[in-house]
Amino acid sequence: MTESRETTLLATVPDRLFVGGRWRPAQDGAVLGVDDPSTGERIKDVADATVADGVAALDSACDAFPTWAATPARQRAEILRRAFELVRERADDLALLMTLEMGKPLAEARGEVAYGAEFLRWFSEEAPRVQGRYDPNPQGTGRMIVTQHPVGPCFLVTPWNFPLAMATRKIAPALAAGCTVVVKPAGLTPLTTLFLARILEDAGLPAGVVNVVTTSRTAPVSEAILRDPRLRKLSFTGSTPVGRTLLGQAAGGVLRTSMELGGNAPFVVFDDADLDRAVDGAIAAKFRNIGQACTAANRFVVHRSVAEEFARRVTERVRAFRTGRGTEEGVTIGPLIDDRAVAKAGALVDDAVARGATLRTGGAAIDRPGSFFAATVLSDVAPGSEILREEIFGPVLAIVPFDDEDEAVRIANDTEYGLVSYVYTRDLSRGQRLIERLDTGMMGLNVGVVSDAAAPFGGWKQSGLGREGGAEGIHEYLQTKYTLTPDPFAAS
Ligand code: NAD
């Protein structure tokens, strides 16, 4: 990877707001700096939207809505399909861009491009399949007609950890349903969304259907949009505390909401598990995206009789990781997103060790430019340790032993989160029991990664509301109308 390739790519990424089909600067000319977390260096400045820019983006989404909603589903689908093809054609650029602004290793960034593209394809296929019903009412005196309609202009707020996939997972179903959108990507990683907006433009999307506002003035810009009575829906992916605040603001307008929030996934390994599989699954579930995934396994709940062997094997694997800049060949662990994330991982490890956990490897920040934290394994983590309660969002694998199934279930469910769980067992009945006993919206049974555009992704409890992907995903952007008409055969 040459530096000139990076420079050339960065020069092609739009650095302005995308509003009403035009690329334009912030009204006050302010810019927002984007840094490479592996070096701490500034890589690009983009427009820093004001509140007025945010409202202008909503104006465009509202103006474009009636025409887009009335556009035949097949036509909307074909634009999404073209966007899917273009994302695949520009996969190398998109992957490199994500590595530069977010830090994930290039191989993982390519994986995210493939995953993110799938939402465009999946919802291009779902768009023409939105269906209603026509039935006689039970009394036979009338006909009940049920139809589906786009909810209206939507505000989509995305996090920094999966810059492409979190955007397409919202934009694609919204557009498929006939909604128009204002997208606000995370200020730390705005470049991928701007690049995606250019792709959507090239795919033939009409002006104003997708608008992108990048901003550091997040709270006032987003509050102005959320309080605007023309907005009909909020879809948010991010942390639970911010999600709670936005839900409160959305309540004012009684907005439809989809909330994909934080997680604290248990990864339960029973004594009858295939340990090779469990170790492979653990490495994927923990260290993908440098541990910065809402679906990241946060607590490894391992049967006491296999806990030592499991700890030994994962430690061996972790010691073989290569840490470095995501663009370098063979790197498996990139930087964390910023120094705050490094400090948080360090504090959680220190607390666990102070309460008696054994540090097997790693455990501290790495002394080099950028925000690096060593991949870490902790075993015998004591109940009450902060690391079991908080979302780690870093490359730290924490093991807690258990003695029987009831105890495993109790530990696994002991969190306000309920996004995903992972269970490793060869016992089919036990696997089925765990499906019913674990309070999570998703579960990996002998697998460590569950994400799929064809699946309903989402959480229980404080991990969120609604589902993204699957047959369910488009319904987050549709509203139902029921109409009653008289029996057409009755004498009038
Ligand atoms: P975050 O909550 O800090 O930010 C998410 C988005 O909200 C960003 O665009 C940010 O700019 C914006 N934001 C922050 N404060 C705001 C405010 N006051 N008003 C309006 N917008 C505001 O989260 P993050 O650090 O970007 O992402 C990490 C979190 O996201 C983790 O908790 C992770 O679990 C969660 N996440 C969840 C899923 C899921 O599908 N459940 C997927 C990815 C990430």
Side-chain angles (χ1 to χ4, degrees), residues 281-448:
I283 297 296
K286 178 72 251 180
F287 295 101
R288 193 170 67 104
N289 223 36
I290 318 133
Q292 303 167 116
C294 52
T295 50
N298 217 56
R299 297 166 294 150
F300 287 78
V301 185
V302 184
H303 192 272
R304 199 175 296 280
S305 68
V306 291
E308 178 54 36
E309 178 62 8
F310 179 81
R312 195 189 60 72
R313 292 206 211 174
V314 290
T315 303
E316 198 178 296
R317 292 277 291 271
V318 168
R319 287 209 175 111
F321 284 165
R322 185 154 163 234
T323 302
R325 190 163 189 245
T327 50
E328 289 160 21
E329 198 57 37
V331 160
T332 43
I333 296 283
L336 292 182
I337 190 67
D338 57 19
D339 290 344
R340 267 192 328 158
V342 173
K344 179 180 171 189
L348 290 175
V349 170
D350 291 348
D351 172 76
V353 171
R355 290 172 195 259
T358 306
L359 178 63
R360 303 261 179 164
T361 187
I366 299 177
D367 187 18
R368 58 174 281 172
S371 306
F372 287 89
F373 193 86
T376 299
V377 178
L378 294 167
S379 59
D380 287 306
V381 175
S385 301
E386 288 289 316
I387 204 162
L388 304 180
R389 243 176 7 97
E390 285 224 14
E391 196 177 21
I392 306 170
F393 245 57
V396 183
L397 190 157
I399 301 170
V400 190
F402 73 88
D403 290 301
D404 61 39
E405 186 178 312
D406 284 349
E407 188 188 8
V409 168
R410 192 183 48 70
I411 296 173
N413 285 338
D414 184 19
T415 167
E416 79 258 27
Y417 294 109
L419 189 61
V420 61
S421 51
Y422 305 91
V423 172
Y424 278 75
T425 176
R426 285 192 174 101
D427 178 341
L428 182 58
S429 305
R430 171 145 55 203
Q432 288 175 304
R433 283 198 298 279
L434 271 281
I435 293 175
E436 297 185 26
R437 296 185 77 187
L438 294 185
D439 299 334
T440 59
M442 301 180 285
M443 182 163 150
L445 186 50
N446 297 316
V447 295

Side-chain angles (χ1 to χ4, degrees), residues 155 157-162 166 169 184-188 215 218-220 222-223 226 236-243 245-246 249 259-263 292-295 337 340 391 393 417 419 442 457-459 463 468:
F155 184 38
V157 180
T158 57
W160 50 264
N161 59 345
F162 291 99
M166 296 303 98
R169 200 162 84 172
K184 195 211 79 61
L188 293 166
T215 187
T218 310
S222 116
E223 191 166 356
L226 284 169
F236 171 79
T237 297
S239 61
T240 296
V242 173
T245 303
L246 299 192
Q249 292 170 2
M259 310 299 286
E260 297 285 355
L261 307 177
Q292 303 167 116
C294 52
T295 50
I337 190 67
R340 267 192 328 158
E391 196 177 21
F393 245 57
Y417 294 109
L419 189 61
M442 301 180 285
F457 188 107
S463 285
E468 291 190 321

